[in-house]
Amino acid sequence: MPVIDTTNLTKRYGAVTAVDGLDLTVEAGEVFGFLGPNGAGKSTTIDMLLDYTRPTAGSATILGRDVHAHAAELRYDVGVLPEGFGLYDRLTGRRHLEAAIRWHDAADDPATLLDRVGLDGTDADRRVGQYSKGMCQRLALAMALVGDPELLILDEPSSGLDPHGIQTMRRLVRAAADRGTTVFFSSHILAEVEAVADRVAILADGDLVAVDRVDELRQRVGSGTTIRLHVPGAVPGTVTDIDGVDSVTRTGTVLEVTTSDPAAKADVVTELRTAGVEIQDLAAEGPSLEEVFTAYTQEVSA
Amino acid sequence: MTASWIAIARKDVADATRSRMLWGFTLVFVAFLGMALPVAGELFPDVVTVSPAKALAGVAMLAQLFIPGIAIVAGYMAVVGERRTGSLRVLLGAPFTRGRVLAGKLVGRLVVTLVALTTGFAVAAALVVALYGAPTAAAFGGFVATGLLLGVVFTGLAVGGSAATATRGHAMTATIGSFMGMVFFWQPLAAGAYAAVTGGLPGRIAEPWYFLLKRVNPLEAYRVLTEAALDERVDAVPQFPLEDVPRHAPLEQLAMTNRLAGPVPFYLQDWFAALILLAWAVIPVLVGYHRFRTTDLG
């Protein structure tokens, strides 16, 4: 039985179609990334899965139960980190967690949950009104973990987090997956989805562009990263032979190296340095979402 | 199985009792009583000896404005407030149905309103006893009961309106607007309807349905019931001179029962006014529930 199953799930607001006939299946135990730019319909889809909004057409089930008819009882099995959530400014973090535990009839230890999301006891005893966005995000995640749910639905879980928080989030998602929890999360950052997801669905303008395994996605999008190096001097031809380097082009003093293996970046730099080439500047950029879309949509039309 | 509304109500009472506005309103009510009661004789057009029941009638007159005010302040942000801050998404992320959330909110705000009103009435009672002597238990009990019932009505209206709307502004318009309509437009509309049907303003003797029309207004129903409980006249606030009655007619002639050509129909009996108030306590909540249950919480 799929954990999430949508059939022709559609949401229109007047003439605008936010989500257009989505058919999506998420299997037990997988980490599923829901990727798309802002405004693609990710949050609208998640809001429908959580019964915050109702579909114009189609339906969705979670763990075999209709998301509308069984919305409240599903919460015992589904941990939720919704977009645009708000906490109670006047209550402490610990109070929030205690309330969530009571609401779920759960027996979790608040200290354990706080520890898992990286909040300490001092943080927990402060009022949430004094929390940063990232701390609110961590607390909300701790509340989502209450009752050890079978499925976690996280809407843009990394938004508002600093790099360290993003690391914690990734670690948590992987840890949850290792315990057998299914994770469904949305993001508009390709690197984030690549880092933690097993499978990914790509959404653009309310349409599902593709559903793929992350390794296949990587392959299809081709190059992992493009590095641009500012090198005035001559460059040895051996750079092309480095494992994971796809192509090397030189335009004036700028050397553009495309790689399919993240590790190749350091190798390129090392190779140049040992050859005594002076590197004046260096920039790396991963494939953009647009490039991902192009890779998939061209495939479809070809 | 889903989580109980009691958890919501408990959290809500704790939250709402921290509202300065609510206690400010209650304080203004108490202060108003403190100023008005010692000079209660002045509230009446004629020179009267103020009996305890008459003093309570004066309090009831003010209460027509203060009870709805307190109840609306206590209730209008109940649901829409959580909706705007996004904490509703957290509540609904827990095993609560929308109905349970609304029920918890309603009970929570009822507790708050009733505590505030009880505080006000306790002060009123102490002042009345000190200044004018003790009212009969029946009169005082009836006075408190109708007051609390009016508090329930307007808390229901406020929480229902809060559940039915998506923004604070709309919730205010719906709840305060309804109250303003009852205060300022109901009497003129009833008199206008009477003129449209009969060709003239209601006179000292008028058709019974006109009195029913007025009485469907919960403020009027409260006034009628409190008059019955105190056996004293309670003036409407404000009183519009829209009826074609002699200016200095004796009060007795102006009693509703003496303004009917025939016998008093069932719908103008006191129990029917109580029924009207009960209907007002329930219907806005049901309307709010229906809209809240079916809306998109975008």
Side-chain angles (χ1 to χ4, degrees):
Chain A
M1 182 182 64
V3 172
I4 298 177
D5 195 11
T6 76
T7 312
N8 188 34
L9 195 65
T10 303
K11 183 67 181 179
R12 284 186 211 97
Y13 293 100
V16 180
T17 303
V19 175
D20 194 4
L22 200 67
D23 292 307
L24 200 63
T25 306
V26 176
E27 299 296 339
E30 65 179 340
V31 176
F32 195 97
F34 199 39
L35 181 69
N38 291 321
K42 302 187 301 289
S43 288
T44 308
T45 303
I46 289 180
D47 279 359
M48 286 191 280
L49 291 178
L50 299 178
D51 194 44
Y52 294 156
T53 60
R54 311 277 160 67
T56 316
S59 63
T61 62
I62 289 178
L63 300 164
R65 285 171 280 177
D66 184 82
V67 293
H68 173 57
H70 302 278
E73 60 182 72
L74 268 172
R75 297 300 192 262
Y76 288 107
D77 302 317
V78 182
V80 168
L81 180 68
E83 189 215 27
F85 71 87
L87 300 168
Y88 299 98
D89 284 355
R90 288 181 294 213
L91 299 181
T92 65
R94 194 183 302 280
R95 284 278 158 149
H96 277 82
L97 212 44
E98 285 166 356
I101 291 166
R102 209 166 43 237
W103 294 340
H104 283 87
D105 244 333
D108 294 271
D109 174 19
T112 313
L113 287 171
L114 287 165
D115 192 51
R116 272 170 71 187
V117 298
L119 289 173
D120 60 37
T122 327
D123 296 333
D125 290 325
R126 280 165 64 196
R127 290 179 174 203
V128 164
Q130 303 168 348
Y131 276 24
S132 67
K133 173 99 200 299
M135 290 170 78
C136 288
Q137 198 81 358
R138 285 163 189 252
L139 177 59
L141 186 68
M143 291 167 77
L145 293 171
V146 165
D148 197 17
E150 284 179 51
L151 167 67
L152 281 172
I153 296 182
L154 316 171
D155 198 352
E156 294 278 353
S158 297
S159 74
L161 293 180
D162 55 23
H164 180 63
I166 292 174
Q167 286 297 329
T168 309
M169 181 68 68
R170 285 181 189 170
R171 199 166 36 74
L172 269 166
V173 166
R174 292 292 359 161
D178 291 344
R179 284 200 316 274
T181 309
T182 310
V183 182
F184 181 85
F185 76 100
S186 73
S187 175
H188 63 280
I189 301 161
L190 180 64
E192 186 176 300
V193 175
E194 275 193 303
V196 285
D198 302 316
R199 275 207 306 154
V200 57
I202 302 166
L203 197 69
D205 286 332
D207 281 312
L208 203 56
V209 176
V211 182
D212 212 342
R213 297 196 53 81
V214 163
D215 42 11
E216 279 163 23
L217 167 95
R218 230 178 248 137
Q219 219 167 44
R220 178 153 326 189
V221 178
S223 52
T225 325
T226 303
I227 343 173
R228 281 194 189 81
L229 304 120
H230 198 63
V231 283
V235 173
T238 48
V239 173
T240 328
D241 303 331
I242 297 171
D243 267 357
V245 169
D246 289 350
S247 70
V248 180
T249 49
R250 180 163 185 144
T251 323
T253 57
V254 176
L255 190 70
E256 205 174 272
V257 182
T258 57
T259 61
S260 53
D261 182 352
K265 279 178 291 189
D267 294 342
V268 170
V269 174
T270 315
E271 180 71 26
L272 290 172
R273 292 295 292 270
T274 43
V277 178
E278 184 199 0
I279 303 172
Q280 290 185 338
D281 197 6
L282 179 149
E285 73 187 28
S288 65
L289 264 183
E290 285 71 26
E291 284 169 303
V292 174
F293 291 144
T294 313
Y296 277 95
T297 43
Q298 277 176 349
E299 181 81 9
V300 170
S301 55
Chain B
M1 190 192 68
T2 49
S4 154
W5 53 269
I6 295 171
I8 304 252
R10 191 174 295 151
K11 194 197 72 60
D12 205 46
V13 172
D15 240 24
T17 46
R18 294 196 193 97
S19 158
R20 289 204 193 103
M21 199 152 146
L22 175 70
W23 294 114
F25 235 84
T26 310
L27 205 69
V28 170
F29 180 46
V30 169
F32 224 82
L33 291 172
M35 288 186 297
L37 272 176
V39 293
E42 310 298 323
L43 291 172
F44 298 91
D46 311 307
V47 181
V48 288
T49 343
V50 180
S51 66
K54 255 197 171 52
L56 287 179
V59 175
M61 203 177 82
L62 298 175
Q64 289 174 65
L65 300 181
F66 276 99
I67 292 174
I70 289 169
I72 288 173
V73 168
Y76 87 100
M77 284 293 276
V79 181
V80 84
E82 302 246 7
R83 195 162 161 182
R84 296 326 297 171
T85 62
S87 50
L88 185 59
R89 287 174 160 254
V90 171
L91 287 182
L92 292 175
F96 295 111
T97 61
R98 293 191 192 184
R100 297 272 169 83
V101 170
L102 181 56
K105 285 281 166 185
L106 179 64
V107 172
R109 301 300 158 115
L110 280 175
V111 168
V112 171
T113 309
L114 296 183
V115 167
L117 290 182
T118 307
T119 311
F121 288 153
V123 174
L127 278 171
V128 167
V129 171
L131 293 163
Y132 305 106
T136 65
F140 187 70
F143 164 82
V144 170
T146 55
L148 295 183
L149 183 53
L150 190 67
V152 171
V153 165
F154 276 91
T155 308
L157 185 93
V159 175
S162 191
T165 49
T167 66
R168 180 185 180 163
H170 287 164
M172 282 177 88
T173 310
T175 55
I176 300 174
S178 303
F179 175 51
M180 289 297 170
M182 290 167 191
V183 171
F184 293 110
F185 298 115
W186 201 294
Q187 289 180 58
L189 285 174
Y194 195 84
V197 172
T198 66
L201 286 173
R204 197 185 72 76
I205 302 291
E207 297 292 331
W209 61 262
Y210 166 68
F211 296 103
L212 174 66
L213 204 55
K214 279 186 19 174
R215 211 170 262 201
V216 173
N217 181 344
L219 296 174
E220 176 74 4
Y222 164 75
R223 203 185 60 75
V224 166
L225 279 178
T226 314
E227 278 187 342
L230 295 175
D231 199 19
E232 285 288 347
R233 185 176 166 76
V234 175
D235 282 310
V237 186
Q239 180 84 56
F240 294 103
L242 291 164
E243 298 179 355
D244 191 15
V245 291
R247 267 182 74 86
H248 295 292
L251 278 181
E252 195 183 309
Q253 278 190 21
L254 293 180
M256 190 274 297
T257 44
N258 295 329
R259 293 182 63 187
L260 299 171
V264 179
F266 74 93
Y267 57 78
L268 292 181
Q269 314 253 350
D270 292 335
W271 62 265
F272 200 83
L275 215 60
I276 289 171
L277 271 186
L278 289 174
W280 272 105
V282 173
I283 291 167
V285 173
L286 291 181
V287 172
Y289 172 59
H290 175 74
R291 296 208 40 177
F292 184 54
R293 202 168 49 91
T294 51
T295 194
D296 279 351
L297 304 168

